[in-house]
Amino acid sequence: QVQLVESGGGLVQAGDSLRLSCAVSGGTASTYLMGWFRQAPGKEREFVAALKWSGGGTYYSDSVKGRFTISRDNAKNTVTLQMNRLKPEDTAIYYCAAKRSSLLPTSGYHYWGQGTQLTVSS
């Protein structure tokens, strides 16, 4: 069973940067597609970014492309979301997710973390 634990959320001002981390345990990370999703109050959960743990590509939603960067650290078994030039509309609970298939990076994830709150003030 895969366990995902997010950390790094908080309250920041528009234009600031913040880094979220996801600790991965209980599975074989090298076979996974790792993703970040977010959900704002009253809205549906939406895809943010994803990567193949084994390499071969990263994926971003249009709303964060150029501002956010997803990366991994094999030694630490962590996935990081570096967020720059934050906007109030980035405010949401951010979730780390994983799935065994690399198909359809925006959906079909098997495992989810508990979420970490990001609030961006204007």
Side-chain angles (χ1 to χ4, degrees), residues 23-40:
V24 184
S25 63
T28 306
S30 63
T31 68
Y32 298 158
L33 184 70
M34 306 299 303
W36 283 97
F37 289 75
R38 66 187 183 186
Q39 186 168 25

Side-chain angles (χ1 to χ4, degrees), residues 44 90 93:
E44 297 294 325
D90 294 319
I93 299 176

Side-chain angles (χ1 to χ4, degrees), residues 14-17 65-68 83-87 90:
D16 284 353
S17 296
K65 189 176 298 182
R67 297 189 298 121
F68 291 10
M83 305 178 292
N84 298 324
R85 304 193 306 280
L86 284 163
K87 305 174 181 179
D90 294 319

Side-chain angles (χ1 to χ4, degrees), residues 16-80:
D16 284 353
S17 296
L18 197 68
R19 183 168 62 250
L20 305 181
S21 294
C22 174
V24 184
S25 63
T28 306
S30 63
T31 68
Y32 298 158
L33 184 70
M34 306 299 303
W36 283 97
F37 289 75
R38 66 187 183 186
Q39 186 168 25
K43 296 185 178 180
E44 297 294 325
R45 184 171 57 196
E46 66 172 337
F47 171 79
V48 175
L51 64 70
K52 297 177 181 179
W53 193 279
S54 61
T58 57
Y59 313 88
Y60 297 95
S61 69
D62 290 340
S63 62
V64 307
K65 189 176 298 182
R67 297 189 298 121
F68 291 10
T69 302
I70 186 171
S71 61
R72 60 155 172 79
D73 187 323
N74 286 340
K76 297 181 179 180
N77 281 339
T78 59
V79 179
T80 297

